[in-house]
Amino acid sequence: MKNENLYNYLLGIADNSLVLGQRMGELCGHGPSLETDIACTNISLDLFGQVRSYFQYAAKIAGDNRTEDDIAMLRKEREYKNVLLVEQPNTNFAYTIGRQFLFDVYHLAFLAELQKSTDLTLSAIANKCIKEVSYHERFSSDWVKRLGDGTKESNQKMQDAINDLWTYTDELFHQTDADKAMVAEGIGVDVTILKENYYKQVNNLLEEATLEVPESKWFQKGGKEGIHTEHLGYLLSDLQYMQRTYPNMEW
Amino acid sequence: MTTTEQNIDEKLIEILEKVSDPEIPVLSIMDMGVVRSAVIINDIVKVEITPTYSGCPAMDVIGDDIKKALKDAGYESEIDLILHPAWTTDWITSRGRKALEDYGIAAPLEAEADKDVLLNEKRLVKCTNCGSQNTRLVSQFGSTACKAQFQCEDCQEPFDYFKCLK
């Protein structure tokens, strides 16, 4: 492949949206209320739409007969490069919201930088996605506040979720080899510079939500290198079921 | 090329105006602003469309519908999906905004006002049934990616609001 770094870089971005989109999609018909159910699946739909833009571009770069669907559906677990945060399960609504919030704050800052990419396709995709993601961030922030500053029980559940998910936040700011190569070419985003502002923004909102900022300094990593938590395998067996069972099927 | 201008061959306008948004049948895709260019090159119509939202499932259908409408008019066509410049609700024409309102979907407000209503801080969205501004946000997300749900506190009508996208 001519530009393997760019290909891997695209997959790194897209897999986050794909896996998170699948998680949110799992709530279709299972959301805690009709409105939140619709919201979660709307977010899922936005994310899948974004994934298609990245994968279509990746398929073009691959230059063989690979299609966007092959990339989405036919890779093995170790070949998915999403961060561990987005594959965490919908343990309860507080986890769903916590995961979304911790990702959205990052996602928004990331896309703002990606808009400046010297790669015109990537900057166009970022320009499109950022408008949608700003709605996601508004939704998830709003719910963190409602649950945190709600009843004693909702506060406890939101706090538990944030405490558990916190360990996956640092990985957002790790750089892979593809990241470094793309940053050097002016195509990719240097995620390390987003870190300080991320925690500032997250911590402020947690305080506003009367939640405590976790103190743990122990962070999990590995997703970006394809080393995942046990949850991803189950998610992929759902996601890939139709393509594995009926190869090449189309709607 | 980057342009916010539409480039549509006059011969094609009437044909394209008859293609409607499958989610909002009263609204022509032309009034929606999703057709960015349509030109005839070597007897083939090249059409560029841009999605409202990335995941909008209507885009594939819109592409097929355009192809069919052009074929019925005797043209072969190629459809390209473009992302840049990104679609904005500003591209909905005034005729399109009226069609939305008549259909029961409140047209998008300006960006600041949009934020206020979606955080339920101000009441600015006009009820499509009775015209009252005494409306409240039910859900930031609605039946499609581009809409939010509102309810009128005066006549109790539930209705969709087309979210501002800029």
Side-chain angles (χ1 to χ4, degrees):
Chain A
M1 199 186 304
K2 210 170 66 211
N3 201 339
E4 196 148 0
N5 277 328
L6 179 56
Y7 180 81
N8 285 327
Y9 186 65
L10 288 169
L11 260 49
I13 305 172
D15 284 347
N16 285 339
S17 295
L18 177 71
V19 171
L20 186 58
Q22 178 71 11
R23 278 285 181 237
M24 290 307 254
E26 285 172 8
L27 289 169
C28 186
H30 300 281
S33 69
L34 185 58
E35 290 79 11
T36 44
D37 188 303
I38 292 169
C40 291
T41 42
N42 262 278
I43 290 171
S44 174
L45 189 64
D46 283 344
L47 291 168
F48 283 149
Q50 298 169 9
V51 168
R52 288 192 65 187
S53 300
Y54 292 121
F55 282 169
Q56 280 163 6
Y57 187 33
K60 211 157 96 189
I61 287 162
D64 43 26
N65 292 327
R66 230 174 296 191
T67 66
E68 52 175 309
D69 288 337
D70 296 338
I71 301 175
M73 302 294 177
L74 298 180
R75 280 178 292 151
K76 299 187 181 75
E77 185 189 357
R78 288 276 176 109
E79 292 167 319
Y80 284 81
K81 307 295 184 193
N82 58 281
V83 292
L84 301 176
L85 174 66
V86 295
E87 69 200 37
Q88 299 311 306
N90 295 311
T91 308
N92 60 36
F93 190 58
Y95 277 77
T96 298
I97 287 300
R99 183 187 60 214
Q100 191 65 34
F101 166 68
L102 292 172
F103 184 73
D104 285 343
V105 174
Y106 161 80
H107 200 191
L108 205 52
F110 175 81
L111 290 172
E113 288 300 312
L114 193 64
Q115 283 183 302
K116 302 175 201 158
S117 172
T118 54
D119 182 301
L120 294 180
T121 308
L122 261 186
S123 71
I125 297 174
N127 195 249
K128 179 84 205 153
C129 297
I130 198 167
K131 300 174 180 191
E132 298 160 2
V133 171
S134 58
Y135 276 115
H136 304 173
E137 198 254 356
R138 212 183 282 172
F139 172 79
S140 59
S141 304
D142 206 31
W143 269 102
V144 171
K145 282 191 268 183
R146 279 171 78 172
L147 294 175
D149 197 12
T151 64
K152 203 174 156 204
E153 186 184 352
S154 72
N155 174 282
Q156 186 60 51
K157 286 191 165 161
M158 197 65 240
Q159 186 69 58
D160 289 347
I162 293 291
N163 289 352
D164 280 358
L165 294 168
W166 198 253
T167 192
Y168 303 109
T169 52
D170 191 65
E171 193 196 4
L172 293 165
F173 310 101
H174 291 198
Q175 278 185 316
T176 62
D177 290 341
D179 283 3
K180 285 177 195 159
M182 287 299 101
V183 171
E185 286 186 44
I187 292 173
V189 174
D190 181 356
V191 286
T192 59
I193 60 162
L194 305 176
K195 187 170 167 175
E196 199 187 325
N197 220 358
Y198 172 85
Y199 282 110
K200 210 186 280 176
Q201 216 181 318
V202 166
N203 294 358
N204 280 343
L205 195 116
L206 291 180
E207 277 166 31
E208 203 185 323
T210 69
L211 292 162
E212 277 164 35
V213 177
E215 280 168 15
S216 169
K217 294 275 183 280
W218 166 250
F219 294 105
Q220 295 281 359
K221 60 179 180 188
K224 286 186 176 181
E225 308 292 343
I227 313 294
H228 293 280
T229 58
E230 64 173 308
H231 307 297
L232 185 69
Y234 294 99
L235 179 144
L236 291 179
S237 68
D238 246 2
L239 176 77
Q240 301 183 333
Y241 178 81
M242 296 302 274
Q243 276 304 319
R244 298 283 186 201
T245 312
Y246 305 99
N248 304 321
M249 73 159 290
E250 280 182 31
W251 282 109
Chain B
M1 219 174 51
T2 304
T3 173
T4 50
E5 295 292 312
Q6 277 169 298
N7 176 22
I8 303 192
D9 192 313
E10 274 183 26
K11 290 198 284 279
L12 303 172
I13 291 179
E14 208 180 316
I15 303 166
L16 292 170
E17 273 179 345
K18 285 191 188 126
V19 180
S20 62
D21 182 322
E23 304 266 10
I24 313 164
V26 292
L27 189 58
S28 148
I29 53 164
M30 292 294 280
D31 285 327
M32 194 73 178
V34 301
V35 183
R36 301 320 296 163
S37 81
V39 288
I40 306 169
I41 301 170
N42 298 332
D43 291 334
I44 293 179
V45 182
K46 305 251 186 197
V47 185
E48 287 184 328
I49 54 175
T50 188
T52 52
Y53 279 71
S54 308
C56 181
M59 290 318 290
D60 290 337
V61 181
I62 289 175
D64 291 346
D65 287 351
I66 292 175
K67 263 193 138 107
K68 188 173 177 301
L70 287 168
K71 201 173 175 77
D72 289 346
Y75 293 103
E76 287 301 316
S77 60
E78 282 171 15
I79 316 285
D80 255 335
L81 194 66
I82 58 163
L83 292 176
H84 188 79
W87 184 82
T88 148
T89 37
D90 288 347
W91 292 351
I92 303 176
T93 63
S94 51
R95 191 170 61 180
R97 291 176 68 93
K98 189 170 179 309
L100 280 175
E101 300 261 350
D102 291 345
Y103 190 61
I105 301 169
L109 298 166
E110 285 301 312
E112 264 312 299
D114 179 82
K115 198 172 171 185
D116 288 339
V117 297
L118 289 175
L119 292 176
N120 220 357
E121 281 167 359
K122 283 185 190 164
R123 298 193 166 193
L124 301 167
V125 178
K126 266 195 193 145
C127 170
T128 51
N129 186 45
C130 73
S132 162
Q133 244 175 256
N134 187 20
T135 56
R136 79 181 169 89
L137 172 81
V138 176
S139 169
Q140 289 166 349
F141 294 86
S143 54
T144 63
C146 51
K147 288 175 279 181
Q149 289 174 1
F150 277 75
Q151 185 169 19
C152 177
E153 298 275 62
D154 287 340
C155 74
Q156 303 302 320
E157 176 84 353
F159 62 97
D160 277 332
Y161 161 66
F162 204 110
K163 291 188 271 196
C164 171
L165 199 69
K166 279 194 191 192

